[in-house]
Amino acid sequence: GAFGSNRGLRPVPPEKGIFALDHMHLCDLEKKEYLSCLKSSGHTSEKCRHLSKKYLQCCMEKNLMAKQDMSELGFGKESNMEASGQEVNERIDNQS
């Protein structure tokens, strides 16, 4: 039936969660900054990406998750865009 067709199959946990498990609270500051940013931005995650990157870097430094290149976690292109956007803003400011 519709409700019993998956019996016997074990659910598989996701490879990565939203936050790495931090039972010792080693990266609490970074996590709280990110969650605070989400709350103040109306849960617009794009505005808080720099803080999620900071949190993930902390987790990797504290061995809470495997070390990976940030581009594999979706941050490579954003960093380039942020840098070029910053350069454009600096040029605009200098022309004023």
Side-chain angles (χ1 to χ4, degrees), residues 11-80:
V12 178
E15 187 176 330
K16 296 181 176 95
I18 294 172
F19 286 111
L21 296 177
D22 184 6
H23 297 296
M24 301 299 290
H25 307 283
L26 301 173
C27 295
D28 262 5
L29 177 64
E30 290 82 357
K31 179 177 73 175
K32 287 177 182 176
E33 285 177 331
Y34 176 70
L35 294 174
S36 176
C37 179
L38 281 179
K39 187 176 181 180
S40 66
S41 70
H43 298 281
T44 307
S45 61
E46 294 83 26
K47 294 179 181 178
C48 306
R49 281 181 57 82
H50 65 287
L51 294 172
S52 64
K53 181 178 181 179
K54 184 178 173 184
Y55 175 77
L56 291 171
Q57 287 172 326
C58 177
C59 288
M60 286 187 262
E61 288 169 9
K62 308 285 185 180
N63 294 316
L64 298 174
M65 63 183 283
K67 289 183 169 56
Q68 284 184 272
D69 189 276
M70 293 308 288
S71 65
E72 293 176 21
L73 299 172
F75 290 97
K77 292 179 183 175
E78 184 210 34
S79 296
N80 293 338

